[in-house]
Amino acid sequence: MTAITLYPLDKTKLLTHISFAVIFASIIPAINPDFPLYFSERIRFVTYLALAGMALVYIHTLVLYPILILEKNRRKYRLYLFGVLFLYLLVGIHLGLLLLTREGQGKNDFLLVRSFAPLDSEQAIWIFLFPLFFLLPITFLSHIYSLLIYREKVLLKLLEFIGNVIVVFLLFVLLAIVDGGVMFMILAIILAVFYCNAFYATPLLIDEKNIKKYLLVLLALCSCYYISSITYGWNVGAVGRGERFVAFLFILTGVLFISLVLSFIYGYIRLRLKAKEQLLNLKIGAKESELKLLKSQVNPHFLFNALNTLYASSIQENASKTADSITQLANLIRYMQEDINKDFISLERETKYLQDYIKIQEARCAIPPHVELKFEHIDDYQISPGIFIPFVENAFKYGVNPKGESELLVSVVCQENTIHFECSNTYDANFEVFHREQGFGIGIKNVKERLQLVYPDKHSIDIDKRDDMFIVNIKINTSNT
Amino acid sequence: MMTAIAIDDEPKAIDVIRFHVSKIPTLSLIAHFHEPEEAMNFLRSNPVDLIFLDINMPYFSGLEMLQQLQIQPNVIFTTAYSEFALESYDYNAVDYLLKPFEFDRFKLAVDKAEERIESQRKQQLFFFIKDGFKNIKVRFDDILFIKGSGNYLDIQTDHKVYSPRMTFVEMLNQLPPSDFVRVHQSYIVNIHYIDKIEDNHIFIGSHKISISSSYREVFFKRLRIE
């Protein structure tokens, strides 16, 4: 539930997860000893560990990480994480024990072992260290996976970092294969120049437009590069005299040129992307402040204080009906501004709003409808706000004829953890709309969705049109909510 | 009988409270203020049972005022801001009224206050005073009046005068505000023993106590004498 609110599933996401699950499930028969494909017991041990690790990745992403983001409860998250990791370690050690004690004893399913043979110290260390070693990539992977799902921005930086690490690693491997590692130092120097230019020098030129400083830094970089590579080359004996020295310098300069150009392009692209993101953030910020401004224009506190002043004037003028209407209106506005956004409010308040709404609507009718209200045993009950109001609203919209006789019955009765709401009103077959405005605008379709979301399998809704009556029955079971 | 004051920067808001209070015979609003500072000065010499307090006022919020008061009074918050409701519990508030509030809701809050004040009163029927090396118990309803003289007080009961070393303000904060009222720079009287009031003088048995002009208005309001 918590993970789903953070990460709403659509079809493609669901398909990806299901295919992942199918792949994992297919590994399990593949490592079964009876299956045609035979794996050695060590490989099966590792596969089991990896499977448990994948389970851990999923548990972390779907259960633990939401605790961190939604509940912001770092302690709970850590506690659970350590619990799960510890469990994983136990499983790994157990699997290792099973494997080692049976290795080379003929029967080739180590999971069937029931008794352990004594271990020597080397084996014991291996058993403990192996799952522990496995934990590193798994925690890393699960963190990246969680970031991938919940926080895309952080991920981009991480991906850039990992990409750089991989490229640098590959370069070193390539060099090791080509010349056996003699030139490692030179590569390191070139990389230093590359990153200095990309991260430090290029922003000087593009962002700050400080050409003098840029050239100075570039000059310093180049001289450092030449001095250190020539000294190093001399020491390893890669640099000779005369023509060989010129050739070395030539290669050095070529490499420098390429690395400077590439790093400039890299730095430039980075800066552009960053500027774009900043612009986007600015736009979002502007939209947000616009929204805030809009909200402050209808500052509720101003409104309530103003209504209070009106209330005072009306009681001073002995206009008690006006005074009552003002408090009812204030209650309704407060309801729309505050309570409607809460998860649950007390049923008593909800019914109070129903009453206030009915009274205000009644006051607007030339011939008020005959209204019957029944609220019984509603203390101690909570309800998701806004479920009943649309029906009463509709009753006034379609059912209550302001110029003729009409009837409205609203009842909320609670019994044994069940809230029973009934709203019935006279109903004109000609379907004339008397009050056209939107009002709360929640709508019956939304009410149904809300009921399904908040009280799944715990409610019934029954809408009945018979003769000249429109009857709505809602029953909500509130146990365990 | 309970005494109350109201604090709100908006006069109309005070009007609403005055109107509601006028419909409750057991409650009398002895003063109202537009600024918390004035109210604090008033409270220093006139303890009351109940305070109706607005939270959001221009210079000095109601919550700040409560922090600065040395006593913890019974408070009913009256405000347009619902977001202080949780914080108000820290101040042991009796209730939290959201403006505009109708009489029924107001009455509910006052009933709650009455219940609390009643139980506070039951807990506190007497106090002890130091007289030399002895601690002497004095019942509040035995006290006729109290006269301050320097660092000493004269507590006059039916048959005896106690003279503990105590300041006037210390004494004032211990007395139940519903029974005692200050009438003079150095006099507090128990309203139940007042026999008659004549020409700025109170008569309690054979004692004659003068009412000073600065306390006169509150005193008469308190006794509901126009």
Side-chain angles (χ1 to χ4, degrees), chain A residues 299-311 334, chain B residues 8-10 12-13 54 56 78-81 99-100:
Chain A
N299 186 325
H301 304 128
F302 160 75
L303 192 66
F304 291 124
N305 279 322
L307 282 172
N308 196 39
T309 312
L310 287 182
Y311 182 70
R334 211 179 274 287
Chain B
D8 199 310
D9 58 313
E10 290 184 39
K12 286 280 189 185
D54 183 21
N56 210 274
T78 62
T79 170
Y81 294 68
K99 288 176 189 168

Side-chain angles (χ1 to χ4, degrees), chain A residues 154-393:
Chain A
V154 185
L155 185 85
L156 218 66
K157 278 187 188 156
L158 204 73
L159 276 182
E160 189 195 354
F161 175 72
I162 292 170
N164 276 320
V165 167
I166 289 173
V167 168
V168 168
F169 182 69
L170 284 181
L171 278 176
F172 273 105
V173 169
L174 198 72
L175 202 65
I177 294 169
V178 172
D179 86 315
V182 183
M183 292 306 208
F184 270 3
M185 198 61 202
I186 303 252
L187 180 61
I189 295 166
I190 292 171
L191 285 171
V193 170
F194 180 89
Y195 285 111
C196 277
N197 188 31
F199 290 121
Y200 182 67
T202 312
L204 281 180
L205 181 68
I206 293 174
D207 268 4
E208 298 176 22
K209 308 233 183 299
N210 194 341
I211 298 173
K212 237 188 203 168
K213 204 173 171 190
Y214 171 71
L215 287 177
L216 214 68
V217 170
L218 215 61
L219 193 72
L221 269 180
C222 291
S223 41
C224 280
Y225 170 78
Y226 278 113
I227 292 167
S228 52
S229 13
I230 290 171
T231 338
Y232 178 74
W234 200 275
N235 282 341
V236 249
V239 186
R241 288 172 193 279
E243 266 179 43
R244 278 186 66 199
F245 183 74
V246 175
F248 182 72
L249 262 187
F250 192 69
I251 296 171
L252 225 52
T253 313
V255 170
L256 175 69
F257 183 70
I258 292 170
S259 107
L260 280 183
V261 169
L262 283 181
S263 61
F264 180 78
I265 293 172
Y266 176 50
Y268 183 74
I269 291 174
R270 262 188 104 244
L271 284 177
R272 267 292 112 98
L273 286 176
K274 218 171 164 182
K276 220 173 168 184
E277 195 189 298
Q278 271 171 355
L279 197 73
L280 198 74
N281 283 345
L282 265 180
K283 273 185 187 163
I284 293 172
K287 274 268 180 303
E288 261 170 10
S289 54
E290 206 175 295
L291 200 71
K292 262 188 194 156
L293 188 74
L294 272 178
K295 272 189 179 164
S296 67
Q297 277 169 352
V298 272
N299 186 325
H301 304 128
F302 160 75
L303 192 66
F304 291 124
N305 279 322
L307 282 172
N308 196 39
T309 312
L310 287 182
Y311 182 70
S313 305
S314 63
I315 48 182
Q316 278 159 356
E317 290 160 7
N318 278 326
S320 62
K321 273 187 190 162
T322 311
D324 287 346
S325 295
I326 289 169
T327 53
Q328 285 152 11
L329 184 65
N331 280 343
L332 283 176
I333 294 170
R334 211 179 274 287
Y335 179 68
M336 285 189 276
Q337 293 252 355
E338 291 164 12
D339 289 281
I340 202 88
N341 299 320
K342 290 179 185 159
D343 289 339
F344 290 96
I345 63 168
S346 74
L347 187 57
E348 213 181 327
R349 282 184 93 159
E350 180 81 10
T351 52
K352 180 86 175 57
Y353 294 125
L354 283 179
Q355 283 178 51
D356 286 338
Y357 178 76
I358 290 169
K359 275 187 190 140
I360 284 197
Q361 287 286 44
E362 261 183 297
R364 300 172 67 190
C365 299
I367 300 174
H370 176 71
V371 177
E372 218 181 300
L373 298 174
K374 194 168 110 184
F375 301 119
E376 281 177 14
H377 314 299
I378 55 172
D379 313 348
D380 308 330
Y381 280 86
Q382 297 272 314
I383 191 157
S384 173
I387 287 175
F388 302 149
I389 265 250
F391 298 102
V392 181
E393 217 180 313

Side-chain angles (χ1 to χ4, degrees), chain A residues 402-416:
Chain A
K403 290 175 192 126
E405 297 284 326
S406 37
E407 271 175 44
L408 170 66
L409 169 109
V410 175
S411 90
V412 178
V413 179
C414 297
Q415 211 171 21
E416 291 166 3

